[in-house]
Amino acid sequence: MRVAHIIAFVAGVWWLQQQPALPPLVWAGLLPVLVVAALLLRGRPAWRRYTRTALTLALCAGAGFFWAAALAQWRLADALPADTEGRDITVIGVVASLPQSYDRRVRFEFDIEQVLTAGAIAPARVVLSWWGESRRGGAADVSPRVSAGERWQFVVRLKRPHGFANPNGFDYEAFLLEHGLRATGYIRPRSDA
């Protein structure tokens, strides 16, 4: 593969990133037309060689464009539906990260293996917070104990991730998307379930 083909492919990926919205993948059906046109333009005349080179570079750029579009749509497809947001749903899964302990809460990534609530859909990977219980009589708060790799069944309430819109600040929503975390939420207490 020539360097020009690689540059055209990368240019196609860059071109997708400049778009305000993802294109439908139906337009990728035009790529085989470019392949056929490039194959039909074999021959010695200079205009055929130049046209074939231009079609090949356009094909590489289109392949990069639609490859990036397919990956983006695949990543975005694992989103929390709006009708599931804010509802209590029962899930089974595995603790997928080392839990981070705070005063009365534990926060961790959770890989959802199965959704037990009828009609509910949840992303494959979420960030959960588990709040501890307050003790009566002034005793210390109890923080939940959870370890990486454990399988749990929880009643959770999820929401789609949102970040602050501070210019030049940390973009929490982009961070979660980059790490494949498509929802955040918390574990409901057993008394509320």
Side-chain angles (χ1 to χ4, degrees):
M1 187 174 239
R2 293 186 203 167
V3 174
H5 296 129
I6 295 171
I7 291 172
F9 185 86
V10 171
V13 173
W14 175 83
W15 184 35
L16 174 77
Q17 293 176 356
Q18 307 310 309
Q19 303 305 309
L22 288 176
L25 293 179
V26 178
W27 291 102
L30 294 176
L31 295 179
V33 173
L34 290 176
V35 171
V36 170
L39 290 176
L40 290 176
L41 289 173
R42 289 186 161 185
R44 285 279 184 212
W47 70 269
R48 283 190 175 191
R49 282 187 312 214
Y50 294 135
T51 306
R52 183 174 183 207
T53 301
L55 285 175
T56 305
L57 292 175
L59 176 65
C60 290
F65 183 85
F66 287 110
W67 175 76
L71 287 179
Q73 289 190 4
W74 171 69
R75 176 63 70 97
L76 294 175
D78 192 29
L80 181 68
D83 61 339
T84 306
E85 188 171 24
R87 283 181 37 200
D88 288 353
I89 60 173
T90 305
V91 296
I92 296 175
V94 176
V95 177
S97 68
L98 293 175
Q100 300 170 351
S101 295
Y102 299 98
D103 290 339
R104 277 188 42 226
R105 117 182 123 109
V106 176
R107 187 173 174 93
F108 54 90
E109 296 174 13
F110 191 70
D111 286 342
I112 296 177
E113 296 175 336
Q114 185 178 9
V115 178
L116 300 178
T117 304
I121 299 172
R125 191 171 193 130
V126 298
V127 175
L128 293 177
S129 293
W130 192 359
W131 292 87
E133 300 174 9
S134 297
R135 295 285 182 158
R136 295 184 184 175
D141 293 335
V142 176
S143 180
R145 300 215 184 269
V146 63
S147 299
E150 291 180 340
R151 178 168 275 107
W152 287 83
Q153 177 177 332
F154 293 128
V155 176
V156 299
R157 187 170 288 179
L158 300 174
K159 67 176 185 171
R160 288 176 276 184
H162 299 289
F164 295 114
N166 295 335
N168 302 320
F170 178 69
D171 190 347
Y172 183 62
E173 188 174 346
F175 171 81
L176 292 176
L177 178 65
E178 181 181 328
H179 288 88
L181 301 164
R182 300 298 290 141
T184 62
Y186 60 94
I187 297 167
R188 301 282 292 166
R190 288 190 181 118
S191 60
D192 293 348

